[in-house]
Amino acid sequence: MALIVHKYGGTSVGSAERIKKVAQRVKSARDKGNRVVVVVSAMGHTTDELIALAKQVTDNPSDRELDMLLSTGEVVSITLLAMALRSLGAEAISLTGGQAGIMTDTAHRRASIIAFEPARIHRELECGKIVIVAGFQGITEDLDITTLGRGGSDTTAVALAAGLKADLCEIYTDVDGVLTADPRLVPGARQLRDISFEEMLELAQQGARVMHPRAVELGAVYNMPIMVRCSFNGRPGTLIHGGELVERKNKVRGIAHDLDVAKITVQGVPDRPGVASRLFTPLAEAGVNVSTIVQNAGVEGLADVSFTVSRQDLSKALGITGPVAHDLGARKVVSGDNVGKVSIVGSGIENVPGHAATMFRALAEHGINIEMITTSQIRITCVVEREQVARAVAALHSTFELDKLD
Ligand code: ASP
Ligand code: MG
């Protein structure tokens, strides 16, 4: 008997009607003879609404209390789904993250899973029950409730699938699978039949919203295949896995974009050892995630250093970088959030020097100026003006012939 994990996102459980539909899908997986564990997110925009509610009470809610509050969102959906399943005649039980054995560290609001104790879930499965687990939450050694960071239900699902040695982890969402680009920008975007963990991780980190990057990382570490598919239809979806890919290697597989980008440039910093460390250590200590970093070759002992952060971190980052830059004797610090990123992603694209040239030419032909460039083994990212991002994505999608995928 196969063990499968299903995960349903907020939209899929957004109303009582939709919860009933999910119950039917879960029941039919069970009726096929599988043992089934289901992870659910909070209904619709519940998590956002709970955060807004907390902010009405105080400007500065404590992270511990917020976690306790936010965890209730998922508790609503697990209980309703268990009730819906029972009314269909299926045995089901809801479990909070803690009851399901998900142990985390104490980093409230961005906790990491440090252990998973599967005994309770196994026990319930052995009794023939469908087990429904609240996503996005866990419990500390002191039995405090934690949450795993926004979008953390994907991580719960993959962690459970890996820990239970499930045969498959299916992530049900409101799109058909992983697409070659955001269909709102590229109507001709195609669904991929499969994609490697490393490609999916890059796409997710570079702005593709379909799956949370941490969940993909976990899937890669435990080699847990993940199927992303739509909860509103029976279509096959996209398999994320570590095996050989159906499509040929060395090809661009997808275009990601990210509008949540702000750029800071420190102009005229002395070009000597230790400067980058002085600039970036305090940002790291303050938990500011710095992505693209570019330093130009020093001229007359001075260099410019540019980097990007998320838009919400811009003012915090400036508050930290300003004084450091001043201490270093830098000429000035400039910033702006009128930028975005476009990336091409594909395993082995570094082996094909022509891909970079093709990308830059396509952007040039559309009159799009590249402000920064970074690469990894399987990705090339350009920072461009925010207004140009949509055109850049469309241009790259057709240049790399992603619209011609069958
Ligand atoms: N409900 C949580 C959130 O909105 C977790 C999730 O949806 O994965 O971030
Ligand atoms: Mg969500």
Side-chain angles (χ1 to χ4, degrees):
M1 213 179 4
L3 171 57
I4 58 178
V5 174
H6 281 191
K7 180 258 169 178
Y8 294 89
T11 317
S12 306
V13 294
S15 65
E17 271 324 300
R18 287 186 173 177
I19 288 175
K20 289 193 210 169
K21 290 243 166 61
V22 167
Q24 272 160 6
R25 190 179 284 281
V26 170
K27 180 167 184 293
S28 78
R30 160 83 212 159
D31 290 346
K32 285 184 191 132
N34 299 301
R35 287 177 294 158
V36 187
V37 175
V38 187
V39 174
V40 283
S41 297
M43 294 173 70
H45 298 291
T46 303
T47 308
D48 291 323
E49 287 156 16
L50 290 171
I51 293 173
L53 194 57
K55 295 251 158 89
Q56 284 174 35
V57 176
T58 164
D59 284 341
N60 198 11
S62 103
D63 285 344
R64 181 191 178 280
E65 299 309 327
L66 260 176
D67 271 357
M68 191 89 125
L69 177 68
L70 297 191
S71 72
T72 64
E74 270 70 13
V75 172
V76 171
S77 27
I78 55 169
T79 49
L80 294 176
L81 181 56
M83 293 174 200
L85 276 161
R86 278 167 179 254
S87 79
L88 295 177
E91 285 271 6
I93 182 167
S94 63
L95 298 175
T96 64
Q99 289 172 324
I102 295 173
M103 314 295 301
T104 74
D105 59 18
T106 57
H108 283 288
R109 304 206 65 198
R110 53 187 166 82
S112 298
I113 300 175
I114 52 174
F116 166 53
E117 180 40 71
R120 176 76 189 267
I121 295 186
H122 279 312
R123 215 162 57 232
E124 301 297 350
L125 287 172
E126 260 145 47
C127 300
K129 288 186 188 149
I130 296 167
V131 180
I132 302 160
V133 180
F136 169 63
Q137 55 179 259
I139 203 160
T140 67
E141 233 188 319
D142 289 338
L143 308 183
D144 278 325
I145 293 173
T146 51
T147 63
L148 308 178
R150 296 305 305 272
S153 297
D154 286 347
T155 308
T156 304
V158 179
L160 287 181
L164 294 166
K165 302 199 172 36
D167 297 286
L168 184 63
C169 179
E170 295 192 316
I171 304 283
Y172 284 92
T173 175
D174 51 1
V175 293
D176 281 344
V178 180
L179 304 190
T180 50
D182 186 333
R184 287 168 301 184
L185 303 191
V186 184
R190 296 300 176 98
Q191 186 192 326
L192 295 163
R193 262 175 296 178
D194 68 343
I195 188 163
S196 70
F197 286 121
E198 52 168 5
E199 289 169 327
M200 189 63 233
L201 184 58
E202 289 277 9
L203 286 173
Q205 282 169 341
Q206 297 306 321
R209 301 259 171 254
V210 61
M211 256 202 89
H212 197 284
R214 261 171 77 191
V216 182
E217 224 172 343
L218 212 59
V221 169
Y222 292 97
N223 199 18
M224 182 71 236
I226 302 166
M227 179 68 111
V228 180
R229 57 196 299 190
C230 183
S231 61
F232 306 130
N233 61 46
R235 295 204 196 112
T238 303
L239 188 67
I240 311 169
H241 64 115
E244 275 291 294
L245 284 173
V246 175
E247 316 281 342
R248 250 186 321 120
K249 280 210 150 205
N250 303 342
K251 268 183 148 182
V252 174
R253 309 288 319 285
I255 315 288
H257 74 282
D258 192 354
L259 295 175
D260 181 18
V261 184
K263 181 177 137 186
I264 297 177
T265 301
V266 185
Q267 294 177 339
V269 274
D271 190 11
R272 56 176 151 74
V275 166
S277 158
R278 286 274 307 276
L279 279 172
F280 294 109
T281 305
L283 289 168
E285 280 167 0
V288 174
N289 199 3
V290 173
S291 46
T292 314
I293 302 176
V294 173
Q295 176 177 337
N296 68 357
V299 180
E300 291 171 2
L302 295 178
D304 292 346
V305 178
S306 299
F307 57 94
T308 61
V309 296
S310 72
R311 287 158 74 92
Q312 66 167 13
D313 279 347
L314 178 60
S315 60
K316 188 170 170 189
L318 280 174
I320 294 166
T321 303
V324 178
H326 183 262
D327 288 352
L328 286 169
R331 206 165 44 215
K332 76 177 186 221
V333 177
V334 293
S335 70
D337 58 6
N338 190 23
V339 288
K341 283 184 194 169
V342 281
S343 304
I344 61 172
V345 172
S347 289
I349 63 172
E350 64 157 6
N351 302 327
V352 187
H355 283 330
T358 305
M359 179 179 192
F360 304 151
R361 193 178 340 107
L363 296 177
E365 279 168 8
H366 286 79
I368 298 167
N369 184 42
I370 302 170
E371 299 189 22
M372 296 163 98
I373 302 167
T374 53
T375 64
S376 80
Q377 283 184 354
I378 67 163
R379 168 183 59 82
I380 304 171
T381 299
C382 293
V383 174
V384 302
E385 200 184 304
R386 197 176 161 78
E387 283 69 46
Q388 309 266 34
V389 166
R391 281 176 56 231
V393 172
L396 294 171
H397 197 265
S398 68
T399 299
F400 288 102
E401 302 192 328
L402 292 172
D403 38 3
K404 300 213 175 90
L405 276 184
D406 58 347

